[in-house]
Amino acid sequence: MTVAPHFQHKNGVLHAEDVALPLLAQKHGTPLYVYSRQALRDAWESYRSAIGDRKVLVCYGMKANSNLAVLHEFKTLGAGFDIVSGGELARVLAIGGDPSRIVFSGVGKQAWEMKAALDAGVKCFNVESEAELLQLSAVADAEGKTAPISLRVNPDVDAKTHPYISTGLKDNKFGIAIGHALTVYQRAQSLPGLRIVGVDCHIGSQITEVGPYLDALDKLIKLIKTLAEHGIRLAHLDLGGGIGIRYTDETPLSPATLLDNVFQALKDNGLEHLELVLEPGRSLVGNAGVLLTKVEYLKHGETKNFAIVDAAMNDLIRPTLYSAWHGVVPVVPRGGAEAPHYDVVGPVCESGDWLARDRQLNIQQGDLLAVMSAGAYAFTMASQYNTRPRPAEIIVDGKADHVVRPRERIQDLFATETTLPTA
Ligand SMILES: *Cc1c(COP(=O)(O)O)cnc(C)c1O
């Protein structure tokens, strides 16, 4: 069993839905990102069924995987989008996404991005500082528009996750200290071109317990009441994203557990009228993808063995950036003897170029491996370091496979570069 239901061995061969991965490797080459359409749908369904008839807008945190095919699939299923740049806005508009279901997050929104989002008509700007508030007011006023806003508050709770993906502690760069929020809301009220519609927080990523969300919610509820006492009434409450997935043996929080707890707290405080917004990214796509790679060489050292594969840190940076653990699964497992332990590494000229460490693997040169849980923060964080073309992205749908982004061609990597004039 792998961590991903739509990536399972059948007759000793790992499949994506009904397609054998060796076939995809043959057809499209490696390394290769392979996603499952049904996995995307199932992940969406876990939110939809948990929501029932409650008032919740799920805005897909699209930086996890922003391929147009993935965005279009979620749009069709009913998702809104959480964007963090003008580039992401352009992607949503390119697939015909509804701007009134877009929330715009991020600490460093530039004036042109604000203008583009105002022109599109987004649902809400999640404002992260007083300075940003002033700039947004000026941009909206100059455009003769009104910007709907939430303040992203920093509730100072520990999401109990990796420091690089923890965003709700007071020494993080994100959000406005919750103790200062009332003052900034009042400032917003006094500025032209702004309309207060909600409050927002996003405390981190790969969160596996409900506790941190409820701690944050508690503080937000107190703030909402204080705001109401000062005549500031909100239409929505955005709890951000961050729901974790199973990479190895985690038991992640389910959308149903989160929603049941959140709605209970809202009800206990007489706040059921608020619309709830969620911004899940990883939990909608993480286990919907694998990174398929081929073993180029095996290197048996004195203290360590290395499996040198054709995927590298430029294709999946999470292991070296966050010390993240990804399952590594032989596509056609070899039975038998006690297997050696390997560090699975790529060809990039960096000691930090590793995908997995100390894994017991019965493998030989030329074997295919699937690096699991590569649907989120894999392609979107990929680079062309070492002039490596980024791999193709494939979506499998039953027995069919669709190229949703072709492998980059080497000549295209430097096609727009020029040399200096000679003296
Ligand atoms: C990254 C991000 C998300 C999505 O986070 P996941 O952990 O992938 O669910 C949601 N909201 C904001 C503001 C983000 O920065």
Side-chain angles (χ1 to χ4, degrees):
M1 278 290 279
T2 72
V3 292
H6 295 289
F7 295 87
Q8 296 298 338
H9 289 95
K10 297 178 193 174
N11 300 320
V13 180
L14 190 63
H15 282 60
E17 300 191 17
D18 299 328
V19 179
L21 291 182
L23 217 72
L24 293 181
Q26 202 175 46
K27 201 165 151 187
H28 306 289
T30 55
L32 189 70
Y33 301 97
V34 182
Y35 311 132
S36 151
R37 184 179 203 173
Q38 194 56 47
L40 299 174
R41 289 175 168 165
D42 287 0
W44 177 261
E45 179 58 23
S46 72
Y47 280 89
R48 201 204 55 78
S49 61
I51 291 166
D53 53 13
R54 296 182 282 209
K55 215 162 42 166
V56 182
L57 177 63
V58 178
C59 292
Y60 168 49
M62 62 178 278
K63 71 179 189 286
N65 185 328
S66 54
N67 185 286
L68 295 192
V70 172
L71 301 184
H72 188 263
E73 188 70 15
F74 285 133
K75 180 200 100 161
T76 307
L77 291 168
F81 297 94
D82 170 50
I83 63 169
V84 293
S85 71
E88 288 192 345
L89 173 63
R91 283 181 179 271
V92 177
L93 298 180
I95 55 114
D98 176 359
S100 73
R101 297 163 81 81
I102 294 176
V103 295
F104 190 177
S105 302
V107 287
K109 299 178 198 77
Q110 298 170 48
W112 71 267
E113 296 176 306
M114 292 172 169
K115 190 174 168 306
L118 281 167
D119 289 347
V122 300
K123 175 184 175 70
C124 187
F125 290 83
N126 292 337
V127 175
E128 300 216 17
S129 66
E130 205 165 341
E132 183 192 334
L133 194 69
L134 291 173
Q135 165 138 302
L136 181 57
S137 164
V139 170
D141 199 38
E143 287 269 299
K145 295 214 158 98
T146 304
I149 63 153
S150 282
L151 296 188
R152 173 171 175 180
V153 300
N154 185 331
D156 192 27
V157 300
D158 186 356
K160 302 198 178 78
T161 183
H162 188 277
Y164 282 14
I165 50 178
S166 190
T167 53
L169 281 165
K170 43 170 191 272
D171 50 0
N172 292 133
K173 71 175 176 182
F174 298 102
I176 293 164
I178 194 152
H180 192 51
L182 172 61
T183 313
V184 183
Y185 269 107
Q186 286 173 324
R187 187 82 204 270
Q189 254 186 329
S190 74
L191 290 168
L194 303 178
R195 179 165 45 90
I196 296 167
V197 295
V199 65
D200 166 53
C201 75
H202 171 72
I203 57 175
S205 201
Q206 187 52 21
I207 300 166
T208 53
E209 298 165 42
V210 76
Y213 284 102
L214 298 181
D215 293 347
L217 179 61
D218 220 42
K219 296 190 174 186
L220 258 56
I221 285 173
K222 288 201 180 77
L223 173 63
I224 291 167
K225 289 180 174 172
T226 305
L227 291 174
E229 285 161 16
H230 288 81
I232 299 173
R233 290 201 168 63
L234 308 181
H236 78 248
L237 162 65
D238 183 340
L239 276 181
I243 294 182
I245 61 167
R246 173 171 288 187
Y247 285 97
T248 166
D249 55 3
E250 301 92 337
T251 310
L253 165 66
S254 70
T257 302
L258 177 63
L259 285 167
D260 290 349
N261 278 279
V262 166
F263 275 94
Q264 189 59 50
L266 291 178
K267 197 164 159 223
D268 292 346
N269 287 278
L271 293 172
E272 316 91 297
H273 61 279
L274 286 177
E275 180 191 25
L276 182 69
V277 177
L278 295 177
E279 305 168 350
R282 187 191 313 271
S283 53
L284 284 173
V285 290
N287 273 328
V290 302
L291 175 59
L292 187 60
T293 184
K294 187 173 100 213
V295 178
E296 292 287 350
Y297 304 105
L298 295 179
K299 193 165 160 179
H300 297 271
E302 267 177 36
T303 55
K304 257 181 185 292
N305 301 315
F306 294 98
I308 302 166
V309 300
D310 63 2
M313 65 185 285
N314 71 296
D315 307 304
L316 181 66
I317 204 172
R318 298 190 68 261
T320 193
L321 184 60
Y322 310 121
S323 304
W325 197 100
H326 284 259
V328 174
V329 175
V331 169
V332 185
R334 298 169 181 279
E338 191 66 347
H341 286 73
Y342 289 99
D343 280 11
V344 180
V345 303
V348 164
C349 306
E350 296 281 343
S351 296
D353 180 23
W354 58 277
L355 299 175
R357 285 182 160 157
D358 203 25
R359 302 297 172 82
Q360 197 168 22
L361 291 167
N362 194 347
I363 48 176
Q364 290 179 17
Q365 191 168 328
D367 281 4
L368 292 170
L369 298 173
V371 183
M372 304 304 293
S373 314
Y377 304 108
F379 180 87
T380 51
M381 296 181 93
S383 78
Q384 299 158 332
Y385 187 40
N386 282 207
T387 306
R388 288 167 50 85
R390 285 178 296 181
E393 294 175 282
I394 307 289
I395 298 188
V396 167
D397 182 8
K399 291 182 168 58
D401 59 290
H402 303 277
V403 180
V404 294
R405 192 178 200 278
R407 185 178 305 282
E408 291 176 341
R409 301 182 312 164
I410 285 174
Q411 63 267 36
D412 292 339
L413 301 190
F414 49 82
T416 58
E417 297 175 19
T418 56
T419 55
L420 291 173
T422 46

